[in-house]
Amino acid sequence: MKLLIAFFSATGNTKKIATVIKNKLKELDVNVISLDITSYSSRQRDLIISEYDGIFFGFPIYSMRAPRICREWLQRMDGEGKKCSIFFTYGGFGKDPAHYYIKQLLDEKNFKLVSSAEFVSAHTFNYSGWLAAENRPNKSDYNVAKEYTVKTINKFINNEPYIPIEYTKPLYSSEQLDQAEKYRFHVITKLPARDSDTCSMCGLCENICPTKAMDAQKGIADVNSCIACFRCIANCPEQVLHTNDISHTWEQKLEFHKTTRDGINKMISKIYI
C-alpha cells in the first residue's frame, strides 16, 4: 500500500499532525510519501493520483473552511475514485462548516472520503495578540492523531461497499462564508510588515510566502494577495515582521463565541468515521 499525506501548514501546526500520522504509518509498515503544499511552487505541480492507494489531506481552518488556495488546488484534481481522509487544525473557533464543505468538494472531484478529524492548535492570530490554544497541539492531540491514523488505515483497506460520511448541514451557505473570509482583514488592518532596521534582508519571507504576496525589499505584504496566514511572521529569523496588535479584540472574540480562554484550552481533538 502506498499512501500520500498532502498538507498546507503556514505556521507549523498542520505539519506537526502530519508528522505524527506519517510516523504512525511507518510504524505500521505502510509506504507513505509527504507533500507539503504550503509553498506557491509546490501547488503548481500536478499531483498524479494514480500513484497512490489513498490520500490524507491536511489543512488549517481559515474563516470556517479550508483555505481558499487549498480548495482551488483540490479543484484541479480528479480523485479517480480513490479513498481519502481529511484532517483539520483550528484555533478553537468556527470549525464545524469545514467538514461539510470539504466533503462537498471532494465528492465533486471524485474522491471517496472515509474519515476526517479536527485537531485543536494554536490560533494564527496569536501572533497578533490573541491567546487561543497557545500550547496546542499537545500530547493528547497527538494521541488522537495516532488513533485517527489506525482507524483510517482500516477504512482504506476495507473492501466493503463505500458508505459516505454524513455531516450536519451548516447554518452558513458557501456564499455567506465567502463574505466571512473578509473578516480576517477587518481585524488584521495592517498586513505583515517589517518594523525594524535590524532585518538582515535574507529574503526568506518572500521566498516562503504561499501566495507570493510578500515583498522583502519593501518589507510589506501585498494587500491583494496576502491571505494573513502569517507564515512570514512565524519563520522570520529576526522576528521583525508584525501586524497591528489585536489583543484588544480578544475578549470580544471570546464573548461572541460564548467561551473562555480556559474553555478553549479544554477542547479536545475529534475523529469522524
Side-chain angles (χ1 to χ4, degrees):
M1 188 173 223
K2 184 179 181 181
L3 300 181
L4 175 71
I5 304 174
F7 64 91
F8 179 96
S9 187
T11 59
N13 291 325
T14 312
K15 184 176 182 178
K16 289 176 183 177
I17 299 297
T19 300
V20 172
I21 294 169
K22 183 176 182 179
N23 290 340
K24 187 62 180 179
L25 289 171
K26 287 184 174 181
E27 185 183 312
L28 297 170
D29 292 325
V30 175
N31 183 9
V32 56
I33 303 296
S34 288
L35 174 62
D36 186 339
I37 66 162
T38 316
S39 69
Y40 178 87
S41 60
S42 66
R43 296 193 308 280
Q44 307 316 304
R45 296 190 290 270
D46 290 333
L47 180 60
I48 304 175
I49 300 294
S50 59
E51 292 184 353
Y52 305 99
D53 299 301
I55 302 175
F56 287 87
F57 294 110
F59 304 131
I61 293 178
Y62 291 175
S63 303
M64 296 183 277
R65 288 183 295 186
R68 180 174 292 276
I69 58 175
C70 298
R71 303 196 314 268
E72 291 172 347
W73 176 72
L74 286 173
Q75 284 282 4
R76 306 203 317 259
M77 298 183 192
D78 178 352
E80 302 178 7
K82 298 284 184 179
K83 290 182 178 179
C84 73
S85 181
I86 180 84
F87 60 96
F88 290 109
T89 55
Y90 74 106
F93 306 107
K95 63 180 177 64
D96 294 324
H99 296 272
Y100 179 90
Y101 284 113
I102 203 69
K103 182 182 182 297
Q104 266 196 348
L105 176 54
L106 291 170
D107 285 349
E108 290 170 8
K109 304 315 295 182
N110 197 24
F111 285 100
K112 294 179 178 178
L113 184 67
V114 300
S115 68
S116 67
E118 60 197 33
F119 297 95
V120 183
S121 303
H123 201 292
T124 305
F125 284 7
N126 289 357
Y127 284 98
S128 298
W130 283 6
L131 302 168
E134 297 163 278
N135 299 309
R136 308 285 292 274
N138 59 20
K139 185 176 180 179
S140 66
D141 303 306
Y142 298 145
N143 286 337
V144 175
K146 293 173 186 177
E147 180 187 356
Y148 158 68
T149 304
V150 172
K151 288 184 174 181
T152 300
I153 281 295
N154 290 335
K155 285 286 188 177
F156 281 170
I157 63 177
N158 192 332
N159 291 321
E160 295 179 2
Y162 170 63
I163 301 176
I165 304 176
E166 296 297 331
Y167 299 102
T168 303
K169 187 174 182 179
L171 296 174
Y172 305 106
S173 68
S174 56
E175 291 76 19
Q176 288 173 312
L177 292 180
D178 286 341
Q179 294 300 312
E181 284 186 22
K182 299 175 183 178
Y183 170 75
R184 296 176 73 81
F185 303 100
H186 292 163
V187 178
I188 304 298
T189 56
K190 173 191 172 186
L191 297 179
R194 183 170 60 240
D195 56 8
S196 172
D197 58 6
T198 62
C199 177
S200 66
M201 296 301 296
C202 67
L204 180 63
C205 57
E206 181 174 326
N207 293 334
I208 67 174
C209 179
T211 60
K212 291 188 170 183
M214 178 56 73
D215 185 323
Q217 196 66 37
K218 294 179 180 177
I220 192 168
D222 177 64
V223 66
N224 294 313
S225 51
C226 178
I227 59 172
C229 73
F230 296 176
R231 193 183 194 197
C232 56
I233 296 176
N235 290 279
C236 177
E238 282 95 19
Q239 298 182 327
V240 296
L241 295 171
H242 299 92
T243 68
N244 56 303
D245 181 359
I246 63 169
S247 56
H248 65 284
T249 69
W250 172 236
E251 292 298 332
Q252 299 169 16
K253 181 71 172 177
L254 292 174
E255 184 178 350
F256 180 81
H257 287 274
K258 296 180 174 58
T259 189
T260 63
R261 183 180 177 185
D262 188 52
I264 293 174
N265 290 335
K266 289 179 179 178
M267 295 178 76
I268 60 174
S269 297
K270 295 181 180 179
I271 303 167
Y272 299 86
I273 296 288

